[in-house]
Amino acid sequence: MNLLTNKTAIITGSSTGIGKGIAVLFAQLGAHVIVTSRTMAHAAQVADQILADGGKATPCAFNLEHPEAIPDLLSTALTTTSRIDILVNNALSRPSIPSGALQDMASSQLQRGVTVNLTNVLALTAAAYPHLKKSAGVIINIGSAVINRHTVGVPLYTILKGALAQTTKVLAAEWAESRIRVNQINPGFVRTDSIMTRQTNENARMIVDHFEKLHPLGRVGEVKDIATLTAFLASNEANWITGAVIDIDGGFSIQGANFPQHNNQSK
């Protein structure tokens, strides 16, 4: 099915992991994909793969830490196809988000994390607005299921993804009049090449085994799970869905707590 034929999609952070999976699937479904990475070489690798498979793709260097590059990113899409139909805000600058307790973070660390991963995402989204308005386009934000269930050790990451969810709802409401749909996907733990290649085989198995136990459906997510939902939301098949924040997490977010059993029988 060519669900995305003649659509131009910018997918930030699409040289590895979930972003790469989305880019490859979008191209298979007919979209012209603007593949972005911090370096042109990494973006070009994925674009070349898509082209070799018969799809359409253009590489572009883009780093969330450098918002001055936003005009060049938009220009790449407009120069290539004269339109922007889909923006997938997937990129994340992990080095700018320290782990550990919030009270132990310096104000400069907090400021950098918020600026890079929220302010700059907002700046890109706002800059894309007139082009998405022209095409009655779609924005899909990639969040995280941790916003639904406290996860120790990642407070700033959780806060930022929660802010992105509120951004999704606000923009969906404000931009509905412009026929721009805005939705968010919250993945649970997903097995990606970028995670697995940083680990030894033994560590990778331990990580997957650990996270499988946290997902009631008994497995971790695969990149295809996220890419498939993203493609649906980007397509006209979902043209009455906006402002949705959708958990795709194998049940991670809905697990209940066991309360102590009480003996209600009278003595």
Side-chain angles (χ1 to χ4, degrees):
M1 294 178 65
N2 293 324
L3 288 176
L4 303 178
T5 298
N6 298 324
K7 304 288 188 182
T8 298
I10 295 174
I11 305 167
T12 64
S14 45
S15 65
T16 61
I18 290 173
K20 178 182 177 181
I22 293 171
V24 169
L25 181 58
F26 274 29
Q28 291 172 350
L29 295 175
H32 189 121
V33 178
I34 309 301
V35 179
T36 83
S37 182
R38 291 182 179 88
T39 67
M40 180 62 83
H42 288 151
Q45 286 178 353
V46 176
D48 288 346
Q49 175 187 330
I50 289 171
L51 292 169
D53 291 338
K56 294 174 286 187
T58 302
C60 182
F62 178 69
N63 187 338
L64 270 180
E65 299 200 30
H66 300 290
E68 66 274 11
I70 290 173
D72 289 340
L73 173 58
L74 300 180
S75 177
T76 297
L78 296 170
T79 300
T80 303
T81 66
S82 302
R83 60 187 297 136
I84 299 172
D85 300 280
I86 303 162
L87 171 63
V88 179
N89 285 315
N90 170 72
L92 180 78
S93 172
R94 291 197 179 277
S96 69
I97 306 177
S99 58
L102 195 74
Q103 66 270 22
D104 295 333
M105 298 177 195
S107 60
S108 58
Q109 290 179 300
L110 294 171
Q111 184 175 16
R112 182 184 176 215
V114 172
T115 298
V116 173
N117 298 287
L118 182 59
T119 304
N120 292 352
V121 171
L122 295 177
L124 170 58
T125 305
Y129 169 79
H131 311 293
L132 293 166
K133 180 180 180 180
K134 185 176 180 180
S135 64
V138 182
I139 298 166
I140 301 169
N141 296 320
I142 305 300
S144 173
V146 300
I147 70 173
N148 302 314
R149 182 181 176 197
H150 178 61
T151 303
V152 177
V154 289
L156 183 56
Y157 174 81
T158 303
I159 290 166
L160 290 169
K161 290 302 187 181
L164 189 63
Q166 192 60 37
T167 298
T168 298
K169 292 180 177 294
V170 168
L171 295 186
E174 295 212 346
W175 292 357
E177 189 176 19
S178 299
R179 298 297 180 263
I180 298 172
R181 295 190 294 109
V182 189
N183 294 296
Q184 177 160 321
I185 294 172
N186 288 335
F189 180 84
V190 177
R191 187 202 321 259
T192 66
D193 51 3
S194 55
I195 291 176
M196 295 297 109
T197 55
R198 294 197 299 265
Q199 308 294 330
T200 64
N201 289 338
E202 182 179 357
N203 283 345
R205 284 194 300 271
M206 290 175 60
I207 290 170
V208 171
D209 288 346
H210 171 74
F211 279 101
E212 280 180 344
K213 295 180 177 66
L214 298 179
H215 296 74
L217 288 185
R219 70 171 177 89
V220 297
E222 302 293 342
V223 168
K224 185 178 179 181
D225 297 321
I226 313 305
T228 301
L229 178 56
T230 308
F232 169 71
L233 290 174
S235 76
N236 290 335
E237 298 296 314
N239 63 13
W240 212 45
I241 300 176
T242 194
V245 178
I246 302 173
D247 302 324
I248 177 167
D249 62 2
F252 174 84
S253 299
I254 56 158
Q255 297 176 90
N258 292 321
F259 283 84
Q261 295 296 316
H262 295 283
N263 185 354
N264 293 321
Q265 295 179 348
S266 58
K267 294 183 180 179

